[in-house]
Amino acid sequence: MTSLQAGTGAFSNSSLQQWLLSDMSKQVYRDGIPAAAGSGATVQDKVGFLDDVNNDAAIVTLPDGERFILVIMTHGHNQATLDFSRINTIAKQVIKLAYGA
């Protein structure tokens, strides 16, 4: 995610980097980190899920321009596939601790 955001390494081709970031900002599973970051934030993320594992890795840009990478991986606790509510709860807590909002 750091290399993708910076446009370095495998992501050094600017047009391909922008294409991937654009696709990530439009992916359909938005209930995890994107929902937690709020409507004013820009979130480019990639989710992963299988059985009771749900993961979300994101580049988050807050309305004030602050940018950070947040990756949350969950497993178990009887969560259903495609249920990103635990990720949402964790992301809200992390963002509040780090940025106070």
Side-chain angles (χ1 to χ4, degrees), residues 29-63:
Y29 304 105
R30 309 301 286 172
D31 295 333
I33 295 172
S39 61
T42 300
V43 180
Q44 298 149 317
D45 68 320
K46 171 67 179 92
V47 300
F49 46 84
L50 179 64
D51 298 328
D52 64 348
V53 173
N54 291 308
N55 302 322
D56 200 351
I59 300 168
V60 180
T61 306
L62 298 176

Side-chain angles (χ1 to χ4, degrees), residues 20-44:
L20 181 56
L21 288 170
S22 175
D23 275 1
M24 288 171 64
S25 68
K26 296 180 238 175
Q27 63 89 7
V28 298
Y29 304 105
R30 309 301 286 172
D31 295 333
I33 295 172
S39 61
T42 300
V43 180
Q44 298 149 317

Side-chain angles (χ1 to χ4, degrees), residues 11-97:
F11 306 102
S12 61
N13 180 309
S14 179
S15 63
L16 293 177
Q17 174 211 25
Q18 291 307 311
W19 172 74
L20 181 56
L21 288 170
S22 175
D23 275 1
M24 288 171 64
S25 68
K26 296 180 238 175
Q27 63 89 7
V28 298
Y29 304 105
R30 309 301 286 172
D31 295 333
I33 295 172
S39 61
T42 300
V43 180
Q44 298 149 317
D45 68 320
K46 171 67 179 92
V47 300
F49 46 84
L50 179 64
D51 298 328
D52 64 348
V53 173
N54 291 308
N55 302 322
D56 200 351
I59 300 168
V60 180
T61 306
L62 298 176
D64 66 1
E66 188 74 38
R67 181 177 291 158
F68 58 94
I69 293 170
L70 180 58
V71 178
I72 300 173
M73 300 176 150
T74 65
H75 176 262
H77 300 280
N78 299 318
Q79 67 183 350
T81 299
L82 303 179
D83 176 5
F84 293 96
S85 60
R86 290 183 65 216
I87 289 174
N88 181 294
T89 299
I90 294 166
K92 283 180 181 175
Q93 292 173 347
V94 169
I95 292 168
K96 183 177 181 181
L97 285 170

